[in-house]
Amino acid sequence: GEFRLTEFERHGIPALQSLIASIRSQAPHARILYYSRGTTLEYLRRLHRLEIDALGVDWRVDLPAVLYEFGTRYSIQGTFSPE
């Protein structure tokens, strides 16, 4: 299933913060890439509280918009349509 935006903020972000903190405590120099299939810009904008290094986006997301909005903060990895 998918989170509604309010659920993502209330439950998803804190769970991700906890997971990332655990990874950072065990591997402080590890690079962390966040990827979620079909994640829209509204959800990506909520990631600013996470200590991540890169965003992975799939072909359903407007890659130029992601690069424009997040390209100076994160490394961006995108995919192309499989068709």
Side-chain angles (χ1 to χ4, degrees):
E2 296 179 1
F3 279 125
R4 288 185 296 239
L5 190 55
T6 55
E7 293 169 331
F8 182 66
E9 290 176 306
R10 183 176 302 129
H11 303 291
I13 293 293
L16 288 167
Q17 286 173 315
S18 178
L19 176 63
I20 291 168
S22 177
I23 293 168
R24 293 270 186 228
S25 71
Q26 296 176 43
H29 301 294
R31 307 280 291 163
I32 297 176
L33 180 140
Y34 175 87
Y35 172 82
S36 179
R37 182 175 169 251
T39 302
T40 65
L41 288 174
E42 286 302 311
Y43 285 77
L44 294 176
R45 289 182 184 118
R46 301 319 195 263
L47 301 178
H48 63 89
R49 298 186 330 230
L50 301 181
E51 292 185 40
I52 59 174
D53 303 296
L55 287 177
V57 296
D58 73 12
W59 58 274
R60 296 166 192 87
V61 179
D62 183 358
L63 187 55
V66 171
L67 287 169
Y68 178 79
E69 192 159 343
F70 303 105
T72 59
R73 181 178 174 128
Y74 307 114
S75 297
I76 306 295
Q77 181 270 322
T79 59
F80 295 100
S81 171
E83 299 172 359

